[in-house]
Amino acid sequence: MTVAYVTGASSGIGKGAAVRLAQDGAKVVLLGRNEKRLAEAVAECGPQAAYAAFDAADPAEVNSHLPALIEQHGNPDVVVHAAGITVVGALDQLTPQEWHQQMDANLNSIYYLNKHLWPAMALNGGSIVLVASTASFAAFPQDAAYVASKGAVLALTKAMALDGAAQGIRVNAVCPGFILTPNLQGYFDAQADPAAAAGGAAAAAPLNRMGTPEDVAGAVAFFASPDSSFVTGTSILVDGGLMARVPG
């Protein structure tokens, strides 16, 4: 049975990916900070699923929990890095704490987790899926730290793919556009007119709606499956056509 570890799995894109992988037959280990929501997500994944509540952005917590989880549930065949937050603000407005909080959640957590998950996966190969963003390609105003973190995630995807190829580890990224999640809602709520911000996001894509976690989960499932066995170091935009449109 395929063993999949999914971070940020208590809600949003991470939860959607975990549920989809479970539906596809994987034993899923859901990782996140909110134990109550993780337990609810596990119930949607079925009896083969398990969870552990800790902060993936805290290396001490990762080092404390992850080795035992790998020993208990098995080496990963699939890893989905969906943990992330949005810290709103232009670069000159951000405090050092806010900058580091953003980088720890969106970028450094990948490093902390892979210190354990990569060696375990290298024994038999597998697939790693990073959650990047349309912000990996183009910037949004008042979003400097988030844009920087997601640009780094896309670059890291390519570097990890090269390093993993000889060990049978494939590394790819999904790049969501406006996906209606608690994280995105928090971004809207931080704007001067949240309703207008949400409406603008829905209208921005040629498909004329915001996406859902299930939309992104389909791309994750492809990268996790044998159907993508010759695909590594690349990304899929899941953005309703947002990045295909020339602004007018």
Side-chain angles (χ1 to χ4, degrees), residues 71 114 139:
E71 183 175 353
N114 272 275

Side-chain angles (χ1 to χ4, degrees), residues 20-233:
R20 173 60 186 269
L21 292 172
Q23 290 172 344
D24 289 349
K27 174 183 179 181
V28 183
V29 183
L30 291 80
L31 309 177
R33 292 179 297 176
N34 189 309
E35 186 163 7
K36 179 178 183 295
R37 291 192 304 190
L38 280 172
E40 293 169 353
V42 162
E44 294 186 42
C45 291
Q48 291 290 342
Y51 75 87
F54 63 91
D55 187 356
D58 184 330
E61 290 196 32
V62 172
N63 294 340
S64 175
H65 287 85
L66 206 49
L69 287 171
I70 295 171
E71 183 175 353
Q72 179 180 358
H73 299 292
N75 294 334
D77 302 294
V78 175
V79 175
V80 181
H81 290 279
I85 60 172
T86 300
V87 175
V88 178
L91 187 63
D92 63 294
Q93 299 170 347
L94 297 172
T95 66
Q97 181 181 4
E98 289 171 328
W99 175 267
H100 290 298
Q101 180 186 23
Q102 181 72 91
M103 294 301 166
D104 280 342
N106 290 14
L107 181 63
N108 295 341
S109 64
I110 299 170
Y111 168 73
Y112 300 146
L113 290 156
N114 272 275
K115 294 294 285 184
H116 301 281
L117 292 169
W118 185 283
M121 180 178 281
L123 297 174
N124 296 300
S127 174
I128 297 175
V129 185
L130 308 187
V131 177
S133 172
T134 51
S136 302
F137 301 93
F140 299 98
Q142 298 291 314
D143 215 12
Y146 181 83
V147 169
S149 72
K150 290 302 186 178
V153 168
L154 190 60
L156 183 61
T157 300
K158 300 176 189 298
M160 291 173 65
L162 296 181
D163 292 337
Q167 299 163 306
I169 298 175
R170 297 183 297 106
V171 187
N172 295 287
V174 293
C175 299
F178 291 114
I179 308 298
L180 192 53
T181 64
N183 192 36
L184 181 60
Q185 187 61 53
Y187 174 79
F188 293 150
D189 291 343
Q191 306 308 306
D193 187 339
L207 293 183
N208 202 36
R209 67 173 176 89
M210 283 187 277
T212 67
E214 290 74 22
D215 291 323
V216 183
V220 171
F222 167 69
F223 280 142
S225 76
D227 289 340
S228 62
S229 62
F230 198 56
V231 181
T232 194

